[in-house]
C-alpha cells in the first residue's frame, strides 16, 4: 500500500511540474506584452554599428503599441503588430504603411524591458541597430 501511495505521489508531482512550466512561460509573455502596450515609447538614443545618436531631452521619434494590436509612430507609420517568442527572445512584428502608403515591415527583438525603459534591436542589411526607449508616463 505504501509503495502504491509513493508511486501515485511521484506521478502527481511529475505531471504537475509540466503544467507549471507552460503557465510560467505564458505568464512571462503576458507580463512583457502588458509592459510594452498602451505607452508612448520615446527614442532616447540608438546604436548603429559603432555610431551612437542621442535624442534625450529632445522632441524626437516615438512609437505606440496599443492594446488593440495597432501601432503608430511619429514618422507616420501606422499598422498592426504581433508578439511571438523565438529562442527565448520576445519578438515584435510590425506590419504598417507610411504616409505615402509604402509598406513598412520590421521584426524587432526585445532585448530588455522594464516599467519605463525598453531596448529593442533590429537587423537591417546585416547590421544590428539597438534602440533605447523610455516612457514618460
Amino acid at each position: 500500500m505504501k509503495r502504491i501511495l509513493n508511486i501515485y505521489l511521484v506521478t502527481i508531482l511529475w505531471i504537475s511540474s509540466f503544467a507549471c512550466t507552460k503557465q510560467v512561460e505564458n505568464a512571462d509573455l503576458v507580463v512583457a506584452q502588458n509592459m510594452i502596450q498602451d505607452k508612448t515609447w520615446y527614442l532616447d538614443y540608438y546604436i548603429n554599428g559603432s555610431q551612437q545618436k542621442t535624442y534625450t531631452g529632445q522632441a524626437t521619434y516615438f512609437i505606440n503599441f496599443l492594446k488593440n494590436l495597432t501601432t503608430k509612430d511619429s514618422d507616420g507609420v501606422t499598422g498592426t503588430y504581433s508578439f511571438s517568442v523565438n529562442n527565448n527572445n520576445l519578438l515584435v512584428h510590425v506590419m504598417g504603411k507610411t504616409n505615402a502608403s509604402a509598406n513598412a515591415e520590421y521584426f524587432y527583438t526585445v532585448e530588455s524591458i522594464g516599467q519605463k525603459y525598453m531596448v529593442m534591436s533590429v537587423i537591417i542589411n546585416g547590421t544590428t541597430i539597438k534602440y533605447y526607449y523610455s516612457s514618460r508616463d
Side-chain angles (χ1 to χ4, degrees):
M1 180 71 167
K2 187 175 180 180
R3 181 183 165 121
I4 293 173
L5 185 59
N6 284 339
I7 291 172
Y8 178 74
L9 182 60
V10 168
T11 304
I12 294 296
L13 289 173
W14 183 76
I15 291 171
S16 66
S17 70
F18 286 106
C20 292
T21 302
K22 290 181 181 179
Q23 291 173 355
V24 169
E25 289 172 3
N26 187 42
D28 290 343
L29 178 61
V30 170
V31 168
Q33 288 174 345
N34 288 335
M35 292 176 85
I36 292 171
Q37 292 176 323
D38 278 347
K39 292 182 182 175
T40 300
W41 292 101
Y42 296 94
L43 181 62
D44 292 327
Y45 65 97
Y46 70 89
I47 299 174
N48 183 350
S50 63
Q51 298 178 352
Q52 178 175 327
K53 177 75 176 175
T54 301
Y55 295 99
T56 304
Q58 302 176 28
T60 184
Y61 177 83
F62 68 82
I63 190 166
N64 289 327
F65 295 106
L66 304 175
K67 280 204 186 270
N68 66 2
L69 300 179
T70 62
T71 184
K72 64 179 181 175
D73 68 21
S74 58
D75 289 340
V77 174
T78 59
T80 61
Y81 71 94
S82 61
F83 291 108
S84 62
V85 176
N86 187 12
N87 294 329
N88 291 325
N89 293 317
L90 177 63
L91 305 177
V92 180
H93 179 200
V94 174
M95 293 178 21
K97 295 234 181 239
T98 66
N99 285 336
S101 295
N103 290 332
E105 183 174 18
Y106 304 100
F107 292 90
Y108 294 103
T109 299
V110 177
E111 303 276 335
S112 64
I113 183 74
Q115 196 63 26
K116 294 191 177 240
Y117 300 97
M118 176 172 61
V119 179
M120 295 192 336
S121 65
V122 64
I123 298 174
I124 298 177
N125 297 326
T127 301
T128 299
I129 303 170
K130 286 192 178 191
Y131 297 97
Y132 294 79
Y133 293 94
S134 63
S135 80
R136 298 176 188 151
D137 312 335

